[in-house]
Amino acid sequence: MVHVARVARSVTFPARVMLVGAMNPCPCGFHGDARRPCHCPPPLVDRYQRRLSGPLRDRFDLGVEVQGVPWSDISGDPVRETSAVVRARVHDARRRQLDRQGRLNSELDGRALRAHAPLDRPSHALMATAVTRLGLSVRGVTRVLRVARTIADLADDVKLRADHVAEALQFRVPERT
Ligand SMILES: [Zn+2]
């Protein structure tokens, strides 16, 4: 909830949202693109990417870099897996979360995560390395573990394993591309 208090009165707004955002990697949009060169000067690319601050990046659960789609993919076979199939898989994963812990993974705090997503030895070692090398904050660690637990649920794996954690680390929004 967001409470806005003014002299005359205060108002409360609901604030439980799913925020989805997209941005270009640079002003021209082709930085890092394999098919077209980017002509933006490096300082301009850096300044452009700094518009999304570290603390804001840290609050996104999932970050995905998307390349342009080549013509062969556009003109080829239609999508093999339909949205209905994906929807059923997501529905099952949510039901597993509610059955296990009475709430969704996105609502687990650090203590609940330790109970419902305990780290085995390899996962523990992987997270220790990630915290050191990537400079993960406490908030960042919590987010990675929630995503890892969700990846395990989507695969119907009861136990959290290092490969789930490794996949979750791939979804972090990078500081800079
Ligand atoms: Zn560019």
Side-chain angles (χ1 to χ4, degrees):
M1 311 291 273
V2 172
H3 305 284
V4 179
R6 291 287 177 267
V7 176
R9 63 188 200 129
S10 67
V11 185
T12 300
F13 297 102
R16 190 160 171 265
V17 298
M18 177 185 285
L19 174 64
V20 181
M23 71 178 284
N24 281 331
C26 66
C28 85
F30 292 104
H31 182 72
D33 194 305
R35 300 165 308 156
R36 278 184 66 172
C38 160
H39 297 294
C40 306
L44 189 62
V45 174
D46 196 47
R47 195 160 65 237
Y48 186 83
Q49 295 194 1
R50 277 180 202 277
R51 289 162 64 182
L52 201 59
S53 72
L56 186 57
R57 288 168 190 260
D58 200 31
R59 283 169 168 81
F60 280 92
D61 289 339
L62 301 169
V64 182
E65 276 183 47
V66 184
Q67 290 285 324
V69 182
W71 169 246
S72 57
D73 282 8
I74 298 170
S75 60
D77 287 339
V79 184
R80 291 184 197 90
E81 193 173 49
T82 64
S83 294
V85 171
V86 177
R87 185 180 191 279
R89 193 161 66 238
V90 170
H91 181 269
D92 289 347
R94 288 171 63 96
R95 186 179 41 74
R96 283 182 201 110
Q97 295 167 32
L98 295 172
D99 288 349
R100 179 179 60 235
Q101 66 218 10
R103 56 198 152 142
L104 297 174
N105 292 344
S106 61
E107 296 161 345
L108 296 180
D109 59 16
R111 181 186 302 230
L113 273 167
R114 280 192 291 280
H116 298 295
L119 295 174
D120 60 11
R121 193 184 289 259
S123 303
H124 202 278
L126 186 58
M127 282 307 292
T129 305
V131 168
T132 306
R133 294 227 180 121
L134 305 175
L136 276 185
S137 65
V138 173
R139 184 188 298 119
V141 169
T142 301
R143 289 184 184 282
V144 167
L145 293 181
R146 283 189 197 128
V147 172
R149 183 60 261 178
T150 303
I151 289 168
D153 287 330
L154 283 166
D156 196 12
D157 286 326
V158 175
K159 282 193 174 171
L160 186 69
R161 294 192 314 266
D163 55 312
H164 303 131
V165 174
E167 189 175 343
L169 285 166
Q170 302 287 318
F171 284 112
R172 286 196 65 249
V173 177
E175 283 299 304
R176 299 277 188 280
T177 53

